[in-house]
Amino acid sequence: MAANSQFAIAVHVLTILAKSGDERVKSDYIAGSVNTNPVVIRRLLSNLQEAGLVVSQVGAAGGTSLARQPKDIRLSEVYKALPCGEVFALHSKEPNRDCPVGRNMAAFLCGLQKEIDKSIEERLRQYTLRDVLERIDEA
Amino acid sequence: MAANSQFAIAVHVLTILAKSGDERVKSDYIAGSVNTNPVVIRRLLSNLQEAGLVVSQVGAAGGTSLARQPKDIRLSEVYKALPCGEVFALHSKEPNRDCPVGRNMAAFLCGLQKEIDKSIEERLRQYTLRDVLERIDEA
DNA sequence: ACCTTTTGTAACTCCTTTTGATACAGTTTA
DNA sequence: TAAACTGTATCAAAAGGAGTTACAAAAGGT
């Protein structure tokens, strides 16, 4: 359970919201559907709200709904909204400074990380939430 | 220290081997350069050897060297050689079966994972170990 | 106004994974 | 045969994610 499942859950949650249209959905309901704890969902929704993808309302009759049409929400936005880690981590301990290779390795790898992240985002930009809905329904 | 730094270390290690040419390098030396434990290095080299990227020899005067020229080792091969996880994890607990969204979500996300992984590999295929050497040296 | 419902968050435990470390068997060289 | 390595098993330590409980703050209904 260590790997980041936040993106997966986020897509799931957003799909539920998309299906609910303008109706506000409660974290309790979503949690039941995703099969987890409501707080986990609220934490996630908090991130999505910061990114402007959803709108939540507190209080009785509160809940969350999409901030935009499904066709205007790209999965790349979802990905960027979450505090997911990079594809690979840099060295945990800094390499030995006496090693000529180690000295410049970090800079190279850091640049590579950014390139990869860009690739991922480009790929995810091809899908909107509406695409997801269609795939889910036709399956 | 939870995130996977194996890819980063692998590139570092392979660069050291590339710089050493045909000479066999000992895990102790590499560990000193990367600033970690020799066993961590040997575990990693074990993966790289399975993938046919390096050749190790046991016994006195043993050590490891590249199995091919740096120009013939692509970073995508390094990536594939390692048991790194996926970019995002699927749900840890299976979604509620009563939820129509949850039922088909896993299949969609699984396909998406594969697509992303392909993107990463395509990007990494553009770099050979020789490219890394050049970047490291010119910096 | 008050009570209920619901979000937002802090704090804590639990679990998993990665890393680091020790130990030792098996191999090879001299 | 002794010394120097790799290959691995095993364990402890560290970090992070996920699940929980608890509660303050906000909003609606009566």
Side-chain angles (χ1 to χ4, degrees):
Chain A
M1 230 176 279
N4 226 34
S5 61
Q6 291 209 62
F7 179 76
I9 295 179
V11 174
H12 190 158
V13 169
L14 289 168
T15 305
I16 290 172
L17 295 181
K19 286 217 165 202
S20 306
D22 289 334
E23 264 183 73
R24 281 196 280 266
V25 186
K26 304 190 219 320
S27 64
D28 250 25
Y29 173 80
I30 300 174
S33 174
V34 177
N35 197 19
T36 184
N37 191 287
V39 174
V40 172
I41 299 299
R42 293 205 287 268
R43 276 199 288 244
L44 180 63
L45 287 173
S46 180
N47 285 320
L48 298 178
Q49 190 168 29
E50 277 178 46
L53 299 178
V54 302
V55 176
S56 293
Q57 188 175 337
V58 299
T64 308
S65 54
L66 290 185
R68 299 179 231 154
Q69 296 289 315
K71 73 175 173 57
D72 295 322
I73 295 181
R74 295 181 183 280
L75 294 194
S76 52
E77 294 179 274
V78 180
Y79 181 73
K80 281 191 276 191
L82 302 174
C84 300
E86 306 286 341
V87 176
F88 58 86
L90 267 19
H91 300 55
S92 46
K93 286 183 184 172
E94 196 174 326
N96 187 338
R97 292 182 167 283
D98 296 336
C99 167
V101 174
R103 263 199 298 271
N104 300 315
M105 187 57 66
F108 170 75
L109 289 171
C110 193
L112 192 56
Q113 263 189 346
K114 292 208 182 88
E115 274 190 45
I116 290 177
D117 220 49
K118 209 182 295 176
S119 292
I120 293 173
E121 281 179 26
E122 274 168 27
R123 172 69 63 151
L124 290 177
R125 188 160 57 225
Q126 296 172 353
Y127 294 97
T128 69
L129 203 49
R130 188 168 70 177
D131 297 328
V132 178
L133 281 169
E134 283 168 11
R135 301 265 190 128
I136 295 293
D137 282 338
E138 83 194 10
Chain B
M1 228 176 280
N4 224 36
S5 61
Q6 291 208 65
F7 178 77
I9 296 180
V11 174
H12 190 159
V13 168
L14 288 168
T15 305
I16 291 172
L17 295 182
K19 285 217 165 202
S20 306
D22 289 333
E23 265 183 71
R24 280 195 281 265
V25 186
K26 303 188 221 319
S27 65
D28 250 26
Y29 172 80
I30 299 175
S33 174
V34 176
N35 197 20
T36 186
N37 192 287
V39 174
V40 172
I41 299 299
R42 294 205 287 267
R43 276 200 287 244
L44 180 63
L45 287 174
S46 180
N47 284 321
L48 298 179
Q49 189 168 30
E50 275 177 49
L53 299 177
V54 303
V55 176
S56 293
Q57 189 174 336
V58 299
T64 306
S65 54
L66 290 185
R68 298 180 232 154
Q69 296 288 315
K71 75 174 170 58
D72 294 323
I73 294 180
R74 297 182 181 280
L75 294 195
S76 53
E77 293 178 275
V78 180
Y79 182 73
K80 282 189 276 192
L82 302 174
C84 299
E86 305 286 341
V87 175
F88 58 86
L90 266 18
H91 301 55
S92 44
K93 287 181 184 172
E94 195 174 326
N96 186 339
R97 292 180 167 283
D98 297 335
C99 167
V101 174
R103 262 200 299 271
N104 300 315
M105 187 57 67
F108 170 75
L109 289 171
C110 193
L112 192 56
Q113 263 189 346
K114 292 208 182 90
E115 274 190 45
I116 291 177
D117 220 51
K118 209 183 295 178
S119 291
I120 294 174
E121 282 180 26
E122 273 167 28
R123 172 69 63 152
L124 290 176
R125 189 161 54 226
Q126 296 171 353
Y127 294 97
T128 68
L129 204 50
R130 187 168 72 177
D131 297 327
V132 178
L133 280 169
E134 283 169 10
R135 300 267 190 126
I136 295 294
D137 281 337
E138 84 195 10

